[in-house]
Amino acid sequence: MIGYLIRRILQAILVTFFVSVITLLLVHLFPGGPIRALLGPRANATEVAYYNHLYGYNKPIYVQYIKYVGQLLHGNLGYSVKLNQTVTSEIASDLPKTVVLVFLGTAVSLIFGIPLGVYQAVKRYTVTDYVLTGVSFLGYATPTFFFALLLVEWFAVDTHLFPAFAPQGTTIGAVLSDPQALVLPVIAYAFLLYALWSRYMRSSVMDNLVQDYVRTARAKGASERRVLWVHVFRNSLISIVTLLGLSLPTLVAGAIFIEVVFNYPGMGLAFFQAAQNVDLQTLLGFTLLGTAATIIGNLLADVGYAVLDPRVRYS
Amino acid sequence: MAMITPPADVPPEALQGPDAGGVLTATEAAKLGVEPTQKPRGMLRRSWEVFAENKLALASLGIVLFMVLFTFVGPLIYHTNQVNTNLATYLCKPSAKHLLGCNEVGYDELGRLMVGGQTSLEVGVAAAVVAVMIGTLYGAISGFIGGAVDSLMMRIVDAGLAIPYIMVIIILSVIYHPNPAIMILIIAAFYWLGVARLVRGETLTLRTREYVQAVKVVGGSGLRAVIRHVVPNAIGTIIVQATFAVADSILILSGLGFLGLGITAPATDWGSMLSGGLTYLQGGNYWWLIYPPGIAIILTCIAFNFIGDALRDAFETRLQRR
């Protein structure tokens, strides 16, 4: 187990190394280089050369890379000239708000997705199962932003039940003090993830129901309810834990679209605005953070899987 | 692996019997007096039969065909001007002249739905094909070579997959101001990674099979083994993956269109159309700007998802029935 953990962490470090190379290359993909991106098409060659020299973009790529990694190791994700602040300070102010949205949305989706998935597996191939399957497929096929917009149209514009905009507070306290405005963004987020959990839970429970240990439990005289909730449910939950760790890219995508629709002042909205302003430093800094989170999520998923499922033994 | 040479005392005919290949040829069967119980059917034919039993999948196939006809043949029947804006028809209501009304710059919405659909479908299918081709080749080669090379190749895939895809795609769109062709490459640049990982997993099990080993034995090159023997046998996984890839690509494209980072006007896609319609969401009841493109995206993506699911069943059942 310890050996596996060490190997897995070393792998994660190697992956992180590749990612840092990819992000540095992304800077240079911009036609004319990063300074042209910053100064715009009307800057003249002297200006571009001056800033290239200032920021060290004229040095060989490996020198740039060493400098870049050195900065990263010091927690320096770059400086957004467009916003006149460091990317780290942007993250410090925006990340907590996004975490609130992601956490609430994920929690709501799990509360609905897991029990309904189990219910579908128990009532498999009935009308209810087919209807819920239909809902899941709808969840897979509906663009997040379109669903969020329908929510705005139905519950904010047509019926005035909830505000069309998410809480606009700058601090996390201000965001939480306006729970009504959080309802629609959280529902939109939960619908995006609901399909994922319920489909997984359904197939996982169905797989587990035909396992030998279920037959043993029944043979011992365990009630159907006990078999389902004590034996099958706990085993099926393992795959959900893994899935949670692996779903970070989906969570990030959801955060971007939902924050844009509801004008929720988190990292997703900031990322979108950076894209509009061609603010490469912010874009790359946020991407690196998202990537680090994904790598850690994958690591936790693997380790969690090994811890939770004693059958899994890594040599 | 060592060359297998038959012992000298075994007559060569004995090696041609059922034990050698495990499969009776028609002539051998006739010699032994075995009558085939039913006509032998091709692999695709059997898969199609399983697929056709699935009503939902057939309906989905119908939807996809309808969308293709609607977007590509539709404009030949329903003529609209999708190049010049027309303020005289600004946000006009649905009428006999404009069946689904007009949008905020006066384009006929139904005609726009056809033109936008062309882009959505073209980019979706092309991105899926490119991604699946790259991913298949990469995954198959990585899995076939194995060892340290495989390890390194897979870490590169891991690195790509660790970057939240939507972020890379947004950054690439910012850098390249995509037209449809670039859009295809941008989406495929992310999507091939997942395919590569899947095909590599499949290859790991396939490369130990006798018929793949036999290629090496008779002196075939590794590349030949991969292209002629490994990939065709992973075709089920690959086709299923390609089907899902189409749905995902259409969704990604629509997301970028919504953010205003997708295809630029006067060209459009279903997502960009929504982006235009949203501005008018709160100003009044311009339902024709929102529901038609939204429903078109959802229908098409659901159809591709159902087809993918049914194909997976079809290929799996084929394996079980053997």
Side-chain angles (χ1 to χ4, degrees), chain A residues 204-287:
Chain A
S204 182
V205 169
M206 275 170 62
D207 283 350
N208 275 304
L209 274 173
V210 295
Q211 297 289 319
D212 289 342
Y213 73 83
V214 171
R215 198 185 316 140
T216 312
R218 284 192 183 130
K220 282 193 312 184
S223 68
E224 226 15 65
R225 174 177 294 224
R226 190 179 157 79
V227 167
L228 182 65
W229 291 106
V230 176
H231 297 270
V232 171
F233 181 68
R234 291 200 343 196
N235 274 293
S236 307
L237 223 46
I238 293 173
S239 60
I240 293 285
V241 172
T242 319
L243 200 60
L244 256 178
L246 296 176
S247 59
L248 249 133
T250 317
L251 299 183
V252 171
I256 291 177
F257 286 111
I258 289 168
E259 288 186 8
V260 169
V261 173
F262 292 100
N263 201 34
Y264 184 88
M267 278 184 75
L269 187 63
F271 189 82
F272 169 64
Q273 285 161 348
Q276 285 183 317
N277 296 332
V278 199
D279 182 354
L280 276 182
Q281 293 304 324
T282 304
L283 290 175
L284 290 174
F286 280 25
T287 306

Side-chain angles (χ1 to χ4, degrees), chain A residues 137-160:
Chain A
F137 270 96
L138 213 56
Y140 276 133
T142 310
T144 317
F145 64 87
F146 183 61
F147 182 71
L149 275 155
L150 291 182
L151 288 180
V152 172
E153 167 80 6
W154 295 336
F155 297 108
V157 178
D158 290 353
T159 57
H160 302 289

